[in-house]
Amino acid sequence: MKKEYQYFTTSRGLRIIYLNTNSNAEYCGVDVAVGSRNEDTENFGIAHFIEHTIFKGTKKHTANYISNCMEQVGGELNAYTTKDETVVYSIFPKGNINRAVSLIADLIINSTFPDEQLDRERDVVLDEIDSYRDTPAEAIYDDFEEYLFEGTPMAHNILGNKNTIKTFDSVKCTTFLTEYYTASNMIFFYMGPTKPAKVLTTVEKYFADMSNTGLRGYDAITNTFNTQPVNKVCNIESHQSHTIIGTLLPGVSSKLRFPLALLTNILGGPGMNARLNTILREERGLVYTIEATTSFYNNCGTFTIYFGCDADDSDKCKQLIFKEISKYTKTKLTKIQLDKAKRQYLGQLIVSGENREQLALSAAHEYLVNVMSAKESTEPEHISSHLEEINAITPDDIFQAAQIISPERLSVLTYK
């Protein structure tokens, strides 16, 4: 499955990725190359805080107008923050592109961060932090990354902490927005039935006042990481044990990205027949849940296995996991085994590709990474679903990927 994208650039230098679809819904937004890893120690959490507060008032519109603008026509306005990026986007019935683009441009260019609104939203974020810490199965991921990325901006929680969040005011937020929310540090994405010329004209019109000077988020990333494994146990006084096992991976441009993703799917993907689910849950009834995931960032990535079980069983589960992973580091998959694993993984990707919202967001993310990571300013000709790259994976590729997640490289964090 290959989608044919078109690429444009406005007079202000804002890149656009466009995909025409025969749909009654349209999707558009901006993907900004700034996330929690761009924050200094005094501003932990500011990228996420701004994602919340750009909706609280602009030079042109009140918070009430912003919250109702897209909903009045049956649309939605959303945003999220990761370690590498911040995304602001809208989904809406076709015919409302002017409304959506003008609103998103206003948020990006003209947000004012009124102090009274910041105080209200600050309480929301502080409650979010408390709620998150009350959920061990979620909090353990952040604690694990603190150990894995120790000493770098990748280590801290995207939400930040209570001390830093209490210091965020209109001046700090405006400064951060001005530095990073610029044409050269973001892309605009569109998917829907509107003709490309109309999209380009609309974006050109409403983003005409956007700055093209400021910081590029990826340019500031020079992190080097400690690969020494850690093994820690935290006492949370619970009958249930939560454990994460994992290690650092190469970044999104690595040739082993897809072999690592396929191997992870074999071990602990969403299918009930994933190896670790079969061994620990179906055959032995040791875990409540188990899953393996990979995340790829600009110059690094993570491989993690999470499982929840009775506290008395956690050591046994770890031993079984290490034993299973070791098999892939010593013996190559046969062609039949690999073809079967590919067929399942490719099928999952094809099904997920039918989710149009996710398709638009994934295309935007990939284009942003390609543009921001490029040594030269050349743009990729297209973005595919990577099915061809996965089909080309060999047993040698899986064997090589397995060495990266071999047991001796794995760190472990357990709550019990």
Side-chain angles (χ1 to χ4, degrees), residues 265-282:
N265 200 63
I266 293 169
L267 288 168
M272 292 182 64
N273 64 342
R275 290 299 302 150
L276 296 179
N277 186 71
T278 299
I279 293 166
L280 275 73
R281 184 175 185 188
E282 300 302 324

Side-chain angles (χ1 to χ4, degrees), residues 2-16:
K2 183 177 177 179
K3 300 294 183 181
E4 294 299 334
Y5 294 88
Q6 296 182 53
Y7 302 90
F8 310 98
T9 304
T10 70
S11 60
R12 301 298 296 169
L14 177 60
R15 295 177 176 88
I16 301 172

Side-chain angles (χ1 to χ4, degrees), residues 29 53 77 83 169 207 239 247 326 346 359:
T53 53
L77 183 64
K83 291 184 182 293
D169 56 18
F207 282 86
H239 74 283
T247 189
S326 292
L346 290 168
L359 177 62

Side-chain angles (χ1 to χ4, degrees), residues 191-209:
M191 185 173 75
T194 300
K195 300 298 183 184
K198 168 69 173 177
V199 173
L200 176 59
T201 301
T202 306
V203 175
E204 186 81 63
K205 173 183 177 180
Y206 290 110
F207 282 86
D209 295 332

Side-chain angles (χ1 to χ4, degrees), residues 225-347:
F225 306 103
N226 177 21
T227 57
Q228 187 68 29
V230 297
N231 194 331
K232 296 183 180 291
V233 177
C234 298
N235 186 2
I236 61 170
E237 298 181 354
S238 171
H239 74 283
Q240 186 177 16
S241 172
H242 304 268
T243 299
I244 285 191
I245 298 171
T247 189
L248 291 169
L249 299 180
V252 68
S253 60
S254 169
K255 65 179 183 179
L256 287 177
R257 172 186 172 187
F258 293 106
L260 282 162
L262 178 56
L263 178 56
T264 301
N265 200 63
I266 293 169
L267 288 168
M272 292 182 64
N273 64 342
R275 290 299 302 150
L276 296 179
N277 186 71
T278 299
I279 293 166
L280 275 73
R281 184 175 185 188
E282 300 302 324
E283 294 179 357
R284 292 173 174 84
L286 290 173
V287 298
Y288 308 118
T289 183
I290 185 165
E291 61 182 10
T293 57
T294 53
S295 297
F296 294 96
Y297 304 106
N298 177 50
N299 66 334
C300 63
T302 59
F303 164 79
T304 57
I305 296 170
Y306 164 82
F307 65 89
C309 66
D310 290 339
D312 292 341
D313 293 329
S314 61
D315 288 340
K316 185 175 183 180
C317 290
K318 284 184 280 188
Q319 292 170 5
L320 289 169
I321 290 170
F322 287 166
K323 181 179 179 182
E324 181 63 20
I325 293 174
S326 292
K327 294 178 182 178
Y328 297 90
T329 68
K330 296 172 182 176
T331 305
K332 296 179 183 179
L333 292 177
T334 66
K335 184 179 184 303
I336 292 175
Q337 289 172 325
L338 181 57
D339 287 346
K340 182 179 178 181
K342 285 181 186 178
R343 185 166 59 249
Q344 179 171 351
Y345 188 41
L346 290 168

Side-chain angles (χ1 to χ4, degrees), residues 80-122:
Y80 63 85
T81 306
T82 73
K83 291 184 182 293
D84 265 354
E85 65 185 332
T86 303
V87 180
V88 182
Y89 70 104
S90 182
I91 307 169
F92 48 94
K94 70 178 181 179
N96 291 283
I97 187 170
N98 277 283
R99 176 186 290 257
V101 176
S102 63
L103 177 61
I104 292 171
D106 190 38
L107 297 176
I108 299 304
I109 300 170
N110 298 313
S111 284
T112 56
F113 306 104
D115 287 331
E116 67 277 9
Q117 292 284 358
L118 293 186
D119 289 338
R120 292 195 194 111
E121 202 61 26
R122 195 185 330 274

Side-chain angles (χ1 to χ4, degrees), residues 145-165:
E145 289 184 347
E146 284 188 15
Y147 296 126
L148 211 56
F149 292 117
E150 186 176 6
T152 78
M154 290 289 288
H156 69 272
N157 190 318
I158 291 170
L159 300 179
N161 60 60
K162 293 185 177 182
N163 291 333
T164 56
I165 288 169

